[in-house]
Amino acid sequence: MARKKPLSLYRNIGIIAHIDAGKTTTTERILYYTGRKHQIVDVHDTKDGKGSTTTDYMEQERKRGITIQSAAVTAEWKGHQINVIDTPGHVDFTIEVNRSLRVLDGAVVVFDGVAGVEPQTETNWRLANQYKVPRICYVNKMDRIGASFAHCVKGIRERLGANALLCQVPLGSSDEFVGMADLVAGVGYLWASDDKDSVWETVPLDEIKARLTFGASADNAWIADLPKLRQDLLETALALDDDAFERLLNTGEFDPAVLKRCIRQGTVTGALVPVLCGSSYKNKGVQQLLDAVVDYLPYPGENGGIAMVDEDGHVVGEQAVTDDAPARALAFKVINDQFGTLTFCRIYSGVIRKGDTLLNVTRGRKERVGRIVEVQADDTREIDEVRAGDICAFVSMKDTETGDSLADPAHPALLERMRFPEPVISVSVEPKNRNDVDKLSTALYKMVKADPSLKLEVDQETGETVLKGMGELHLEVTIDRMRTELGVEANMGKPRVSFREAFGQTVEHTYTHKKQTGGSGQFAEVTMIFEPGEPGSGVVFSDEVVGGRVPREYIPAVEHSVKAEAQEGQVAGYEVVDFKARLIDGKYHDVDSSALAFEIASRQCFREAQKLSKPKLLEPIMRLEVVMEADYLGDVIGDINRRRGTVSDQGHKGSSAFVQGFVPLAEMFGYINFLRSATRGRGTFSMEFDHYQEVPAGMVEKLMEKEAK
């Protein structure tokens, strides 16, 4: 079957932002204006559990009024197929943004017009930089009291380091917000009302000043500056085309088609980031946002293909996005429910049909494509084939997990993998019913397989099953989803911090392992230097033995044992990180030496050396932002200091005050209860992992006692 629509008419985009910036509300409007649904459901209307937005369909999402799981929907706009992924804004679910950005060609970054650039926006922006995803900025909520387009644009330029290109500016703000001036088209759009079907009037830019006067001087200043703002846009965009720029300078004229082409070129390459504005809730600006998605964001493959790598992750080539190549796809999300497994995939090349067999190159196992579905949030539609550029889901794949590469068995290729954050918090989990032990194990395995930011361990001392994740909410939602999706109920223990350990100083140590009990004995001696490394450097092993004092065949055993022993340190049994282990000398015996003997010697050498190094306990430090009314600022700052935190910045966002700082995770459990009480329910906070830091010497014992309770 031939391709129905050329690749140039496809857009794979994500909606990303901080929590409560309006991503899901914007997605609802996109689906309404593209004709995919005929009724708009607002997020605040779903908490009674009777209705849901299209993309927030899970029970946990309806109850909390937030997005927890990214959801894919498809829409048509002016002949283009737009595949949209609505992503969560809460830091505990950053993994959803991570894996979505990995497979998308472009993103719409939504900003709260009052709050501006918020912490999770910065995190998402860094992820988009990492995956080189072109972006459009959409300043939402211009109808809210305290909305400031200037504050938002300043944050985009200064905090995100983006070359923001103002393509629209707002006409009014707060309850006077009536539309926006389109600097590209040279016109203003004025809405008659807030109704979802309200029409807008198109007014030439030079007539806007005579038509509109606002109560706020800042709003009138935007109108006064329209001629200059448009000239700035023309010069910045047309600078990408020498002939067009020269024509503009000499005659003041330009070709509108060339202008759009230049903005598109700048957006696709990352040189420019178009900035638009509107109010999704008041139904203003969403159609213009859709136009910008079509005009400026790339189609699949326009910004290059996907890197192919070897088993060590080194790039060995690039796979172009084309039908005329072997089938290659990346699994970026797995959903488990009572009815089976859905494996979401982005197809990078070739054609995959129902009944085909693919090779999971990551795991070396073959998977049969039984059914292929197009996903519309929680609804699916069966299709017979998918092609390069498509996003789809395969039903009931047995061995494929998030980040795995699928390919034509005759032409295997590993695609560049995703990078996932390490969990920072853990809880013990046990079944509510003693007879459900096996069911709980199966359910936990399915949840961990679907979410790579979860990890499962068994505590060797207590025998407890331990679930690790990104935050209290993340773990709470996981346990709740096991109940609703898999029918398994579990009890969750007290949250615990994932501490780390490190060498305190450089240590050189020799250990000799000798055992003689009749027959052949065991003998191995190793001399190693252990050095503290830079944060994030990991465990580095180097073989510096000369003269064959440790035979080559035993070196891998030494390296393996050091890395294995680093999983459990000597301070409190936590993983030892960021050190260099140098094997500099050793001794062996022709008869009694073996790989096992050298492994035992290396393990003991590591244990004793870590104790001798004055080891350090490291704790996760979280980046915190609290937003509240200015009256409560002193109480919030005082509490941060009491929690061993430091304040890095404070100020005002619209009518609210904010505090930013760094606080140990161990001090932040139950913080929401304090904040609600201190601010009379008006304060909000966001928190994300930033780095590991040494625990002050006097606090180690106290923290360990707290963890043991």
Side-chain angles (χ1 to χ4, degrees), residues 20 47 131 198 341 379 429 467 491 646 668 674:
D20 204 30
K47 293 187 182 180
Y131 293 127
S198 174
T341 304
D379 196 15
V429 184
L467 184 65
N491 291 323
T646 56
M668 290 302 290
F674 157 78

Side-chain angles (χ1 to χ4, degrees), residues 61-325:
E61 293 173 316
R62 294 200 306 270
K63 280 196 302 192
R64 292 172 171 83
I66 62 170
T67 303
I68 288 170
Q69 178 172 276
S70 57
V73 290
T74 300
E76 292 269 340
W77 183 253
K78 297 186 177 177
H80 292 70
Q81 178 173 319
I82 304 177
N83 298 319
V84 183
I85 295 184
D86 176 27
T87 65
H90 197 288
V91 65
D92 282 17
F93 308 105
T94 300
I95 180 68
E96 294 287 338
V97 187
N98 187 328
R99 55 184 171 190
S100 297
L101 283 174
R102 178 64 182 76
V103 297
L104 292 168
D105 302 302
V108 174
V109 187
V110 182
F111 296 83
D112 182 323
V114 178
V117 176
E118 298 176 270
Q120 190 61 14
T121 317
E122 293 185 64
T123 301
N124 293 342
W125 195 273
R126 287 195 298 271
L127 282 172
N129 284 341
Q130 180 180 312
Y131 293 127
K132 297 181 173 61
V133 178
R135 279 144 274 177
I136 288 175
C137 294
Y138 173 61
V139 180
N140 189 26
K141 301 192 177 186
M142 286 307 303
D143 60 299
R144 283 186 61 205
I145 293 172
S148 171
F149 188 67
H151 168 68
C152 212
V153 171
K154 183 182 179 187
I156 292 169
R157 286 175 171 155
E158 294 180 2
R159 289 180 66 177
L160 302 181
N163 186 10
L165 181 73
L166 300 191
C167 294
Q168 293 177 357
V169 294
L171 298 176
S173 64
S174 186
D175 55 358
E176 290 188 313
F177 179 64
V178 293
M180 68 282 302
D182 189 325
L183 302 175
V184 180
V187 296
Y189 305 120
L190 306 178
W191 269 258
S193 74
D194 296 340
D195 185 73
K196 65 182 184 295
D197 297 315
S198 174
V199 294
W200 62 84
E201 180 187 355
T202 303
V203 181
L205 278 189
D206 52 13
E207 293 180 19
I208 291 176
K209 192 171 183 179
R211 288 276 302 271
L212 299 172
T213 304
F214 301 109
S217 58
D219 294 338
N220 292 321
W222 283 112
I223 296 177
D225 285 345
L226 285 177
K228 179 183 181 302
L229 290 168
R230 184 156 203 242
Q231 189 63 26
D232 289 347
L233 167 94
L234 295 174
E235 290 179 7
T236 304
L238 293 175
L240 299 176
D241 184 309
D242 292 341
D243 293 338
F245 188 63
E246 197 170 324
R247 180 184 171 194
L248 178 72
L249 293 180
N250 294 335
T251 66
E253 297 175 353
F254 66 93
D255 181 343
V258 173
L259 174 62
K260 279 194 172 181
R261 192 191 73 220
C262 287
I263 297 174
R264 179 184 185 82
Q265 178 189 334
T267 306
V268 171
T269 59
L272 301 173
V273 181
V275 179
L276 292 78
C277 60
S279 167
S280 298
Y281 181 60
K282 293 293 179 69
N283 306 299
K284 295 182 176 75
V286 176
Q287 294 97 319
Q288 287 74 19
L289 174 62
L290 282 165
D291 287 340
V293 166
V294 165
D295 289 340
Y296 306 138
L297 289 180
Y299 57 81
E302 185 178 358
N303 204 23
I306 183 171
M308 295 187 291
V309 297
D310 60 21
E311 290 183 359
D312 296 322
H314 302 125
V315 177
V316 293
E318 183 178 88
Q319 175 58 62
V321 181
T322 173
D323 292 352
D324 303 321

Side-chain angles (χ1 to χ4, degrees), residues 553-566:
E553 63 265 30
Y554 300 145
I555 302 295
V558 175
E559 180 177 2
H560 169 75
S561 58
V562 167
K563 290 183 175 178
E565 201 59 35

Side-chain angles (χ1 to χ4, degrees), residues 92-96 99 420-425 447-448 450-455 468-471 474-475:
D92 282 17
F93 308 105
T94 300
I95 180 68
E96 294 287 338
R99 55 184 171 190
F420 300 123
E422 284 293 313
V424 294
I425 187 171
M447 298 307 291
V448 171
D451 184 348
S453 62
L454 288 170
K455 284 193 177 174
K468 295 185 174 184
M470 301 307 296
H474 185 206
L475 296 173

